[in-house]
Amino acid sequence: YLLAMSHNSLAGKARLFGLSIGMAGVLVSTQFTALMIFNQITGVSVVQPSIQAEKGLSFKRVSSLDEIEAEITVAAEQGKPVMLDLYADWCRACHEFEAKTFTDSGVVNAMENFHLIQIDLTELSEENDAIQDRLGVIGLPTILFYGPGEQELEGRRLFGFVEPEPFISHVNDVQSYAQCQREREDGAYC
């Protein structure tokens, strides 16, 4: 019935748009449910990327904004830059990061001086919404980098999947920028 309505009118276009959004939600929900059922039946988890990566980056897993802030403070006390990885089980690009980039030996070497934090935003909850709002995250995967001043490094945020070589280049840029910030107490631009 909805498709038979005139899609040339504003109301028809709105109905068609609403139907499209509704169908997309059903598909995502169905895929997530299938993954969870598979996990329960087989005991094989396809939805815990940081646990599945046997070799590669080792993250401190956190579950709240307070824990994120505490870990950033710990890193600042140690003089380390921070990489915060925000992911979700239903996020295909997040799994690509885990399988390809975070297990790459060059990436592992490039990240050895970083404090690595990871938060799972799979659950639809008010707390996860608040985390995304506070951090300005509009989609996943998103990776944030913080410097010695416990502030996010401006212009260094990553969104979406990045292959290992460009990721290493980005990390090297982040390290240079963080080092510059550490050395400049006058607040001059790096």
Side-chain angles (χ1 to χ4, degrees):
Y1 171 76
L2 288 173
L3 294 176
M5 298 295 293
S6 170
H7 62 276
N8 291 330
S9 71
L10 184 57
K13 288 180 182 177
R15 279 190 214 97
L16 195 54
F17 178 75
L19 179 63
S20 298
I21 295 297
M23 289 180 72
V26 167
L27 290 174
V28 168
S29 176
T30 302
Q31 183 181 23
F32 179 70
T33 301
L35 286 172
M36 296 306 287
I37 291 170
F38 177 78
N39 183 23
Q40 291 295 319
I41 292 172
T42 65
V44 175
S45 177
V46 294
V47 294
Q48 298 254 346
S50 66
I51 293 171
Q52 287 216 324
E54 291 181 25
K55 296 181 181 177
L57 299 180
S58 178
F59 292 89
K60 169 68 176 181
R61 301 285 303 266
V62 297
S63 59
S64 70
L65 194 53
D66 288 340
E67 289 179 6
I68 291 171
E69 291 170 353
E71 288 299 318
I72 291 171
T73 299
V74 166
E77 290 168 355
Q78 297 172 351
K80 290 184 172 185
V82 171
M83 182 181 93
L84 171 60
D85 175 36
L86 298 99
Y87 81 96
D89 295 340
W90 44 259
C91 170
R92 182 177 178 171
C94 299
H95 289 281
E96 284 184 288
F97 258 121
E98 289 292 332
K100 295 179 183 176
T101 304
F102 294 163
T103 57
D104 181 85
S105 61
V107 170
V108 172
N109 289 336
M111 300 300 299
E112 67 185 4
N113 293 322
F114 278 78
H115 189 79
L116 305 174
I117 308 169
Q118 190 175 59
I119 187 162
D120 180 355
L121 299 176
T122 300
E123 298 290 323
L124 298 176
S125 68
E126 288 182 21
E127 183 173 18
N128 284 350
D129 288 346
I131 290 168
Q132 291 183 62
D133 287 345
R134 170 73 169 76
L135 298 176
V137 173
I138 58 171
L140 301 175
T142 297
I143 297 178
L144 309 179
F145 294 91
Y146 292 81
E150 300 183 42
Q151 299 295 316
E152 182 181 356
L153 297 175
E154 189 174 326
R156 299 329 193 255
R157 181 179 287 216
L158 292 175
F159 176 73
F161 175 68
V162 179
E163 292 282 348
E165 287 305 315
F167 188 84
I168 292 168
S169 178
H170 186 79
V171 165
N172 290 337
D173 174 62
V174 166
Q175 284 183 314
S176 295
Y177 187 76
Q179 180 67 31
C180 176
Q181 279 194 328
R182 232 183 337 269
E183 293 170 358
R184 291 190 176 235
E185 293 179 16
D186 61 2
Y189 183 75
C190 292

